[in-house]
Amino acid sequence: MATRKTPASKAMATEEAAVELEEDAAALEDTSEELEDDTAADVETDAEDAPVEAAASVHDVGAEPADAEVVIGLGEFFRRLYAVTYSKTLGLIIILAFAVIVLLGVIFTQAPAGTWPDTQARADFLTEMTSKYGVATKVLSALGIFHIFSSVGFYVVTIALAISIIGCTTHRIPLLWKRWRHPGASVSQAFFSAARYRGEVTTGLDAEAGLAKAAQELKAAHYRVVELPENSLFADRNAWGGFGTVVAHLSFIVILAAFLVSGLASYSVLLNAPIGGNPVAVGDGTNLTVAVTDYNETDDPASGQVTDYVSHVIVYDNGQQVKEQDVRVNSPLTYGKWTFYQYSALGMAYDVTITSADGSTLFNGSVPQQYQSNDGTLSVGIIRLDDLGVDVQVEGPASGQIGINNTFGLQPGQVGFVIWVDGATQPDNMDDLSLPDSGPPAAAVDPGGSYTSKDLTFTFNREIQYTGIKARTDPGTILVWIGGLLLVIGMTVTFTFRYRRVWLRAEGKQLWLASADKEDSGFRQDFTELVAKAHTWYPDEKEKASTRKGVN
């Protein structure tokens, strides 16, 4: 049998004392998950005992062939599966993966909400990103980097992190419950000589009386006192405080749930609302419409930059006005589950109506002049007609291009309509492929005029100013608030009501105090103050023992 060697810094006077310390460490470990073994000998003993016990088990049962099939019961399978959920290594890997995803989302530009499902909006966004990321744009898009917070990978990692937190929390709860409801573990006399924190007080009283006085004073200081055999006591305070970590963990789960709910169930839409024009529909199966009756900007006199812009927004529900308010970037309007934000400053748009052959309206609203033709002479807006699989480009002379003979022959104040059918390589209302990719309109349309192509009629009402209002509904918002509140409560309890425990033993006229908590400067100060206070419990005695920190 191998000889076990105890490091000199931890060696006990006798083999019997070492054995007692091993028993004490085992008992204390059952009391709290946070307890560390107090001697290196404990670690060596545990390491050597494992193979010895395993060998004994094999000897008792009988050795099996090396290639024997190992059968794991259903209960053992689920136990091992559950053990995976509170694995610290796996938990750390998941946290790192989550951090990497968040970092990528911060580093790389994220597509506005609702962009990715919209084919045209996605193509426009990727075109914009190409100028920033170059040839890497396609790779980043394929990896889902531009919409990483709504990607499958993000959902998988988020769910895995939630499961890991749940596993760690449920694994910890029984230990916290035992510490709270079943406190106190007997320790031997040797523990008071080797504990991390220890102190000694001369009471001048016999053991029973000295211990009774200590118990009285500890109860007055709001400690819970448990009597132990051999003139010993266990005292602790804030044993319930550990449940603050459970509340904090619960907050993380709620916040992660908020991410998932927001990613899967939130809806947002950018409304290009004309100033003083007709209300625009919110969509998403609602009867809500939004109108902007007034718009104002505040400029910085020195730089000329816009420092504030505000829109007066009116919300209608089923045609009835339900709310109105001045809306700024950080001062949204809220109605029901919807929130309306000031999204962009003033811009120019084409006010257009599109009707079908039977007279039904397919589109009626403002089309922002968001793009320019390749030669820079035209301002272009795009209308998407999903039901028809058609994109309509509305084109007019660009600002400052008055008097310039643009390629398409449009005069100031006129627009043209170019119709692109999905999958086509040329406009549906044009035949000349040698012209620039945007193509000239089949006819120039004056304000108030119309242009008909096949069974669609395009009416150019006028050029109008518009502003961007974002409408958003997010059922995950309330979960974020709940999670944030739980986090504050949990962290406050955890750091304010720290768990404190101490063992006391009386022998003759001496009282020993000891604790085996982890290295903690806060606890060291508390323990020092407790020992100093213990001297005042016995005013007739002038001998005082100093508090000293145990040797690691």
Side-chain angles (χ1 to χ4, degrees):
M1 180 180 292
T3 302
R4 301 172 186 167
K5 296 182 179 180
T6 303
S9 61
K10 296 287 186 176
M12 302 303 303
T14 64
E15 183 179 355
E16 179 181 358
V19 173
E20 289 176 343
L21 273 180
E22 290 179 18
E23 295 173 349
D24 293 340
L28 298 181
E29 187 172 3
D30 290 337
T31 305
S32 170
E33 184 184 45
E34 298 176 351
L35 182 61
E36 292 181 331
D37 292 332
D38 294 302
T39 65
D42 292 332
V43 178
E44 292 183 7
T45 300
D46 292 340
E48 293 179 9
D49 284 347
V52 171
E53 292 176 0
S57 176
V58 172
H59 176 75
D60 292 340
V61 177
E64 296 181 358
D67 58 349
E69 182 180 357
V70 178
V71 179
I72 299 177
L74 187 62
E76 175 65 13
F77 170 76
F78 283 111
R79 187 193 69 78
R80 294 187 181 185
L81 186 62
Y82 172 61
V84 171
T85 66
Y86 60 81
S87 166
K88 292 182 179 179
T89 301
L90 180 61
L92 180 59
I93 293 173
I94 295 173
I95 291 173
L96 289 175
F98 187 83
V100 168
I101 289 176
V102 172
L103 182 62
L104 290 174
V106 172
I107 293 175
F108 294 98
T109 303
Q110 296 298 294
T115 298
W116 222 248
D118 187 326
T119 304
Q120 182 61 50
R122 186 197 321 162
D124 294 340
F125 175 81
L126 292 176
T127 299
E128 182 182 352
M129 291 301 102
T130 300
S131 63
K132 185 175 182 179
Y133 300 111
V135 295
T137 302
K138 289 185 177 180
V139 177
L140 295 173
S141 176
L143 294 174
I145 299 299
F146 294 127
H147 60 110
I148 199 165
F149 295 118
S150 60
S151 64
V152 174
F154 176 73
Y155 293 145
V156 170
V157 172
T158 300
I159 292 173
L161 182 56
I163 293 174
S164 178
I165 294 174
I166 292 172
C168 291
T169 304
T170 55
H171 178 65
R172 182 176 175 80
I173 286 176
L175 300 174
L176 294 172
W177 178 265
K178 183 177 181 180
R179 186 177 77 182
W180 181 36
R181 303 304 300 170
H182 306 286
S186 296
V187 295
S188 67
Q189 185 176 2
F191 173 74
F192 292 89
S193 300
R196 184 181 297 274
Y197 301 101
R198 54 190 184 271
E200 182 180 345
V201 177
T202 300
T203 66
L205 305 174
D206 60 60
E208 185 175 348
L211 203 61
K213 177 63 175 176
Q216 178 184 351
E217 295 291 343
L218 287 170
K219 289 178 181 178
H222 306 294
Y223 276 83
R224 174 177 53 176
V225 177
V226 178
E227 294 185 3
L228 300 176
E230 299 180 358
N231 290 328
S232 297
L233 292 177
F234 170 79
D236 68 352
R237 184 166 59 183
N238 302 330
W240 56 274
F243 286 98
T245 60
V246 175
V247 177
H249 288 175
L250 177 61
S251 74
F252 293 137
I253 296 171
V254 173
I255 292 173
L256 290 175
F259 276 114
L260 292 176
V261 171
S262 294
L264 296 173
S266 65
Y267 174 83
S268 65
V269 59
L270 178 58
L271 307 175
N272 298 311
I275 310 300
N278 295 326
V280 292
V282 173
D284 194 37
T286 72
N287 294 315
L288 297 179
T289 56
V290 174
V292 176
T293 60
D294 193 22
Y295 175 90
N296 290 288
E297 292 182 354
T298 301
D299 298 331
D300 183 355
S303 64
Q305 298 294 321
V306 177
T307 58
D308 182 36
Y309 38 91
V310 54
S311 298
H312 189 75
V313 176
I314 301 177
V315 178
Y316 299 89
D317 191 348
N318 211 15
Q320 299 295 317
Q321 180 177 328
V322 291
K323 197 165 185 178
E324 67 176 303
Q325 176 185 315
D326 283 343
V327 173
R328 290 180 167 83
V329 175
N330 295 318
S331 179
L333 180 153
T334 300
Y335 172 68
K337 66 178 184 178
W338 289 90
T339 302
F340 301 89
Y341 302 89
Q342 180 70 53
Y343 183 76
S344 63
L346 193 66
M348 297 303 297
Y350 303 116
D351 189 16
V352 173
T353 302
I354 303 176
T355 56
S356 62
D358 60 6
S360 60
T361 301
L362 303 180
F363 178 85
N364 182 30
S366 58
V367 185
Q369 300 173 13
Q370 296 176 308
Y371 311 98
Q372 282 195 335
S373 59
N374 291 341
D375 60 8
T377 63
L378 294 173
S379 292
V380 181
I382 298 178
I383 303 170
R384 174 65 183 175
L385 302 177
D386 280 321
D387 292 342
L388 301 181
V390 167
D391 286 323
V392 179
Q393 291 181 193
V394 187
E395 305 173 346
S399 176
Q401 297 298 312
I402 295 177
I404 296 178
N405 184 22
N406 60 66
T407 308
F408 307 147
L410 295 174
Q411 299 302 310
Q414 293 181 327
V415 301
F417 298 93
V418 180
I419 305 168
W420 289 88
V421 178
D422 289 351
T425 58
Q426 66 181 40
D428 189 59
N429 59 334
M430 289 173 45
D431 297 322
D432 190 347
L433 299 180
S434 65
L435 294 173
D437 57 359
S438 58
V445 182
D446 294 314
S450 297
Y451 164 72
T452 299
S453 175
K454 296 182 179 178
D455 59 349
L456 298 179
T457 299
F458 304 86
T459 301
F460 171 44
N461 300 310
R462 57 174 173 159
E463 197 169 16
I464 191 173
Q465 291 180 319
Y466 82 99
T467 185
I469 301 294
K470 175 177 281 189
R472 180 174 177 81
T473 177
D474 185 358
T477 301
I478 184 62
L479 293 178
V480 172
W481 283 102
I482 293 174
L485 179 61
L486 290 174
L487 181 61
V488 171
I489 294 173
M491 298 304 286
T492 299
V493 170
T494 299
F495 290 105
T496 303
F497 301 95
R498 302 295 297 271
Y499 181 49
R500 300 300 187 227
R501 61 181 180 168
V502 63
W503 282 263
L504 298 89
R505 181 184 181 91
E507 190 169 312
K509 296 183 178 182
Q510 299 299 116
L511 178 69
W512 287 279
L513 300 88
S515 183
D517 280 2
K518 292 181 178 180
E519 176 60 35
D520 181 345
S521 59
F523 180 77
R524 180 164 68 256
Q525 180 179 350
D526 288 348
F527 187 81
T528 301
E529 292 175 356
L530 178 62
V531 175
K533 189 70 174 177
H535 288 292
T536 67
W537 299 343
Y538 311 99
D540 294 337
E541 292 298 317
K542 295 183 180 180
E543 296 181 30
K544 296 184 178 180
S546 60
T547 303
R548 61 191 187 280
K549 179 179 179 295
V551 179
N552 291 328

